[in-house]
Amino acid sequence: MIPEEIIQYLKSNATFVSGQKLSQHLKISRAAVWKYVHELRESGYRIEAVPHRGYRLKFVPDKLLPWEIRAGLATRVLGHEVFCYDTLPSTMDEAFRLAEGNQCREGALVCAESQTRGRGRMGRTWFSPKGKGIYASLVLKPFLAPSEVSWITFVAAIAVCEGIRQTTGLAAAIKWPNDVLIKRKKVAGILTEMNAEVDRVHFVVVGLGLNVNIDKAHLPPQATSLRMELGGKVSRVLFLQAVLKQMEHWYGCLLERRFTPVLERWKELSVTLGRRIRISEHHKAIEGKAVDLSDDGGLIVLNSDGDLIKKMTGDVEFLD
Ligand code: BTN
């Protein structure tokens, strides 16, 4: 892609690059170079242009652009094919459309700067203000049974926690089944949907909603963002790259059917286990102590009668 090549070339040259050099390097006319430079400026890059000297890159915007996500991405598969949009109703729908039409590979990533109908679990909406968060859906084509797909949600939650820890040092933790919290406030959510037959998964779409640079004024009291916790802006590109790298590592364990290390890591990062909780689903709730996670991803709750109850879905509230 020409814009990608222009940015790469300018990044690798700290000083000015002449229009002629760029046009030779890219095998396009100087007028075409100018047109692409103009387009890059429109998307937020500051590119200085000085007669007789050429072009110099002065500022790279924190935008989710395919070449920015790919540059320095330490994965082999995830995020190498990237579809970026300014706005979408939901990245989930676009990822489904691409996967259903066989128009993308395993690991393809669909991101949008904003969503108009971002969706969360249990029919909720996902607040997706422009340029402030990461709204991304990852297409996976794993060789797993439909009943094993909830492992992908666990892997994604682990990857988000580890990505937050590595990028910011903040102590992110997982609330069952798939919320990522910092100091008990939700900073990220994961939505896993699949296209499958009874015994065969065609593809899985993992949606990541990450509150990165959203201000306090725009979030409900029970939510937070990395910016609020850190007191400063976080690079969405670097954060997303870190999450993808961790995701690839843990997803690799699933593909090798090594579920135990995933379960162990999930437990280490969990803030749910050991707590007194209320778990609600369809206006019904049970209370008790969250004691364990089952092999199929259920939460085991010990109630006051001493019964162990396994819950596969529901919303957890902490009681202590
Ligand atoms: C939840 O906690 O309820 C899950 C939220 C998932 C939100 C993400 S944002 C990117 C992707 N597109 C959507 O419409 N939803 C997911």
Side-chain angles (χ1 to χ4, degrees), residues 88-93 110-112 115 117-128 134-138 178-180 186 188-193 205-210 315:
L88 279 177
S90 161
T91 58
M92 298 303 280
D93 298 341
V110 177
C111 333
Q115 298 183 116
R117 283 206 306 274
R119 58 175 188 268
R121 283 174 66 231
M122 301 184 157
R124 298 193 185 104
T125 55
W126 187 259
F127 178 55
S128 315
I134 294 175
Y135 321 114
S137 295
L138 204 50
N178 53 7
D179 288 352
V180 178
K186 180 158 170 171
I190 292 150
L191 180 68
T192 306
E193 297 178 344
V205 175
V206 188
L208 306 172
L210 314 171
D315 264 338

Side-chain angles (χ1 to χ4, degrees), residues 13-65:
N13 286 276
T15 127
F16 284 94
V17 178
S18 72
Q20 190 180 354
K21 243 188 172 170
L22 268 171
S23 86
Q24 278 168 356
H25 177 73
L26 300 165
K27 299 185 182 63
I28 56 173
S29 68
R30 288 178 67 170
V33 170
W34 172 249
K35 183 186 90 107
Y36 283 113
V37 165
H38 183 72
E39 273 176 27
L40 285 163
R41 282 180 175 157
E42 299 265 282
S43 59
Y45 287 91
R46 270 219 304 277
I47 300 172
E48 200 179 359
V50 175
H52 310 299
R53 296 189 77 185
Y55 300 102
R56 183 165 63 161
L57 184 60
K58 302 257 327 195
F59 174 78
V60 177
D62 183 35
K63 273 214 167 172
L64 299 176
L65 292 163

